[in-house]
Structure formats: C-alpha cells, structure tokens
Amino acid sequence: ASSSSSAIDHEAMRGTSSRGWSAAKARASSLWAKCGADCACALHGRIAAMAASTSAGETWAFLDWAKALQEDQGNQNEVFREKLPSYFDVFGVDPKSYQVNLKVLESRYRTLQTYLHPDKLRAKGGENLLELGEACSAHVNEAYGTLRSPLSRASYMLQQRGMATEEGSKLDDLEFLSFVMETRERIEGDLTAQELCEVEREIGEKIEESVSEIGRLLREDDLMGAREITEKLKYYENIKNEIVRQK
C-alpha cells in the first residue's frame, strides 16, 4: 500500500474510543440506510444492475451516499439500523461472484477514501461529521482488506451465506494433512535457497488451484465443499507465509 493510503488508514482509526466508535458506527449505519431509502441512487435496484460492470469510472450506490454525506453535514435523523452495508455493496461489486477485479477494487477504494477522509469531513461538518467519517472510513478499510485477499474473501462469502468457517476446525482429509506435515518438515529442514523457492512454487500452485476450486464451488452453491477448500487454503497460506519469513 502507498504511503498516502497508509496515512488515510491511520487517520481513519485515530482517536476513536470503543464507546464513541459504537455511536459513530450506529449513526453511520443510520445515515447510510436513510440515504439508501431516500436518494435516487438507492442501493436496492441499482446494485444488481451495476454489479456486472467493472469500470472504475462508473458510480455505484455507496459512492453516491459518500458524496451525499459531505452535503448532509451529519444532520440526518438518527434512526439506528442494524448494520453498515456489506463489503460487496461498499464497492458495488457482485456479491455472488468470488472473482474480484483487484484493480477496480483498489481504484474504488481510493475514490471512496477521497470522500470519506476524516479531515475533509471535519472541514465540512465539524466533529459530528468527523466521527461518522472515521466509522465509515474504517468500514471501507475493513471491506477492502477482506475482499482483496482470496482467503478472507472466501471466508466472508461463506459467512454471508450462513456457512462460517471456524477457528481450529479439523479436516478429515488424511492425505492432505500428511502433505502439510511433510511440507512443514521440508521447510524447517536445511534447504538451499533454490530448494525453498521450489517449495514456494509448489505451494503457489496449490493456492491457485484452491482459489479456482472455491470459485467453482461457490458458483454451484456447494457451501460445504467451498468451506473445506477454504480450510485447506488456510494451511497453504500459512506455509507460504512461513516460507516468506525464511527467505
């Protein structure tokens, strides 16, 4: 990530107590819900039509709301709603598609942060709007971090469909678990740089195969199968991270 986006992330999280965070996030939810109901750019009815498009130059519902937020100055009625929009709705991408155009995602992320930058909102509406900006900007950061990663994206999609992956869940695939143990023993051994790169290449191929398979299973609505491959992807990612640490 660039230094500018890092600065935005830091600013978004600055000075928000847990109590103030909850209130700001609730008001952000309310403001999103109200605009979604009142504005011509309402989410429902538009998001599905726009989801198929990947042009970074087009608008989408949450961006329209972010633009309206600056004009509203935080004075909308505070009828609290349950939650902020989904991560897919934040960027106007298809919630049914596991495949995400990362270039479009990054472009839309930067566009949103332009409108939700806390300093800009504070200049528009003072501290009241600043708190909303902090909560919304943080939500956008969370959405971006989740959707840009194939593993976290798969876990999120499964969770959205009622099939959450669980920490510490066990796999029954003994052949796979044997492969994981053998691979870990290899990278913990006295490998040359070339041999370590070869293991990294093998794991990279496994990750690509898993990502492709998850996409297929989600398209077919095979949630049990997708969850199993997602659990395997966790192991592959952990091995990959260990190799990177050793290089």
Side-chain angles (χ1 to χ4, degrees):
S2 66
S3 58
S4 60
S5 64
S6 297
I8 290 173
D9 292 355
H10 175 75
E11 183 68 22
M13 300 298 293
R14 178 178 55 78
T16 305
S17 67
S18 59
R19 193 176 196 182
W21 170 270
S22 298
K25 199 158 188 177
R27 290 208 307 280
S29 300
S30 170
L31 202 51
W32 156 255
K34 182 173 178 60
C35 185
D38 294 348
C39 297
C41 62
L43 174 63
H44 300 292
R46 285 197 57 182
I47 204 71
M50 293 188 296
S53 172
T54 55
S55 171
E58 293 186 357
T59 190
W60 64 100
F62 190 71
L63 174 61
D64 290 340
W65 174 83
K67 292 177 180 178
L69 178 63
Q70 293 194 25
E71 302 303 322
D72 177 78
Q73 298 186 6
N75 294 319
Q76 297 275 12
N77 293 330
E78 297 187 13
V79 182
F80 292 173
R81 299 302 177 95
E82 292 182 357
K83 59 183 178 180
L84 287 163
S86 77
Y87 293 164
F88 288 98
D89 289 346
V90 165
F91 296 105
V93 297
D94 187 356
K96 296 181 180 179
S97 175
Y98 178 62
Q99 303 303 322
V100 172
N101 187 321
L102 295 181
K103 290 184 178 180
V104 170
L105 192 70
E106 180 180 6
S107 176
R108 293 188 172 192
Y109 168 72
R110 294 183 182 282
T111 298
L112 283 170
Q113 291 292 29
T114 297
Y115 290 97
L116 295 175
H117 193 293
D119 282 347
K120 181 175 290 188
L121 291 175
R122 176 164 46 193
K124 288 279 187 179
E127 294 300 318
N128 187 39
L129 197 56
L130 170 63
E131 288 187 10
L132 285 170
E134 287 177 334
C136 294
S137 185
H139 185 67
V140 170
N141 290 336
E142 292 171 4
Y144 180 63
T146 297
L147 296 187
R148 70 189 297 198
S149 162
L151 176 57
S152 59
R153 189 191 320 139
S155 297
Y156 180 72
M157 290 185 70
L158 287 168
Q159 179 185 20
Q160 291 289 292
R161 300 187 190 186
M163 183 66 72
T165 56
E166 300 177 358
E167 288 292 331
S169 58
K170 296 182 179 180
L171 289 170
D172 296 327
D173 189 336
L174 297 181
E175 182 178 352
F176 169 77
L177 294 175
S178 177
F179 168 80
V180 170
M181 291 181 61
E182 292 173 0
T183 304
R184 287 191 177 280
E185 289 175 358
R186 287 174 65 190
I187 63 178
E188 290 171 0
D190 189 17
L191 295 181
T192 66
Q194 182 176 353
E195 290 171 334
L196 194 60
C197 286
E198 176 60 24
V199 177
E200 184 179 29
R201 183 191 64 78
E202 293 175 8
I203 294 301
E205 291 177 353
K206 295 288 187 182
I207 289 175
E208 290 181 4
E209 292 172 2
S210 298
V211 168
S212 177
E213 183 69 359
I214 290 170
R216 182 186 68 79
L217 292 168
L218 287 173
R219 284 194 304 272
E220 297 175 358
D221 206 29
D222 183 351
L223 302 186
M224 290 292 292
R227 183 171 69 174
E228 180 179 353
I229 303 302
T230 299
E231 293 293 346
K232 291 181 178 181
L233 182 57
K234 289 181 183 179
Y235 283 90
Y236 291 139
E237 289 286 357
N238 287 337
I239 293 174
K240 176 185 174 182
N241 292 336
E242 181 60 31
I243 292 173
V244 170
R245 283 193 290 268
Q246 291 192 26
K247 291 180 71 175

